[in-house]
């Protein structure tokens, strides 16, 4: 089952519902199913079979976020989650998932509207608290990089 080109997720947007995302995923070379997964495992991607499993006990919002997370593993053809390399892949996937699911303007609006309360922001944006935490980490890292860059230019 050789790829004919890069695996793209261009049609996946932050405004899509879980159902719309599943419909979009039908156009990709990946199989998606629901299953009862072990505790603490909301989803799983297997590169050998190009199969995504989503825990059927998750609530709608969790399924939506998990699907995007696993689709990003598919996009990168991730074949492992073990060791240091697996941890690096997982960090990259969490970062890309947050960037895919959160529109910066909508986040900014929700943050102002709910005075920075992560739970309320997550509810407003239809994402999990983990996605909000990952997005805030990206913002903090970007702010820190800009600050360091600015200080080095002044020196």
């Amino acid at each position: 089952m050789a790829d004919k080109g890069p695996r793209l997720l261009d049609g996946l947007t932050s405004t899509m519902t879980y159902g719309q995302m599943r419909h979009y995923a039908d156009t990709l070379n990946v199989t998606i199913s629901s299953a009862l997964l072990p505790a603490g495992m909301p989803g799983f991607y297997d590169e050998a079979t190009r199969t995504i499993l989503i825990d059927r006990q998750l609530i709608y919002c969790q399924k939506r976020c998990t699907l995007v997370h696993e689709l990003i593993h598919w996009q990168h053809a991730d074949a492992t989650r073990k060791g240091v390399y697996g941890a690096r892949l997982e960090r990259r996937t969490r970062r890309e998932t947050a960037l895919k699911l959160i529109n910066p303007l909508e986040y900014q609006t929700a943050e102002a509207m709910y005075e920075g309360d992560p739970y309320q922001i997550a509810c407003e944006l239809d994402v999990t608290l983990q996605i909000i935490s990952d997005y805030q980490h990206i913002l903090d890292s970007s702010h820190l990089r800009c600050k360091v860059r600015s200080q080095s230019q002044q020196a």
Side-chain angles (χ1 to χ4, degrees):
M1 207 191 275
D3 282 326
K4 292 181 170 92
R7 298 176 184 180
L8 302 175
L9 293 174
D10 295 341
L12 194 66
T13 68
S14 63
T15 59
M16 294 171 95
T17 65
Y18 177 67
Q20 290 169 328
M21 288 177 177
R22 286 289 301 256
H23 184 69
Y24 168 73
D26 288 342
T27 68
L28 307 173
N29 188 13
V30 64
T31 301
I32 302 169
S33 298
S34 64
L36 289 174
L37 297 177
M41 182 185 281
F44 178 78
Y45 173 66
D46 179 51
E47 173 62 16
T49 60
R50 292 198 180 144
T51 302
I52 292 173
L53 297 177
I54 307 286
D55 189 342
R56 66 174 44 141
Q57 294 180 330
L58 297 177
I59 62 170
Y60 180 83
C61 173
Q62 293 169 319
K63 287 181 180 184
R64 183 175 174 273
C65 295
T66 300
L67 177 58
V68 172
H69 180 97
E70 300 307 333
L71 282 170
I72 290 172
H73 279 302
W74 167 82
Q75 179 182 22
H76 292 285
D78 292 343
T80 186
R81 290 190 178 172
K82 296 180 181 175
V84 175
Y85 183 65
R88 187 171 10 149
L89 296 180
E90 199 57 27
R91 279 192 305 276
R92 181 214 57 217
T93 302
R94 284 177 50 180
R95 180 181 190 284
E96 289 185 23
T97 301
L99 291 172
K100 189 61 115 170
L101 284 170
I102 295 181
N103 173 297
L105 185 56
E106 290 176 1
Y107 175 84
Q108 204 172 22
T109 302
E111 187 178 54
M113 201 162 54
Y114 297 111
E115 299 175 346
D117 182 324
Y119 178 79
Q120 294 293 336
I121 296 168
C123 290
E124 180 70 24
L125 301 180
D126 194 26
V127 296
T128 62
L129 279 169
Q130 182 65 60
I131 299 292
I132 295 299
S133 175
D134 291 342
Y135 191 76
Q136 289 173 337
H137 181 74
I138 293 165
L139 293 177
D140 291 344
S141 297
S142 296
H143 177 71
L144 183 61
R145 267 186 289 226
C146 289
K147 192 174 183 180
V148 167
R149 204 175 296 139
S150 173
Q151 289 172 347
S152 67
Q153 289 173 352
Q154 292 174 356

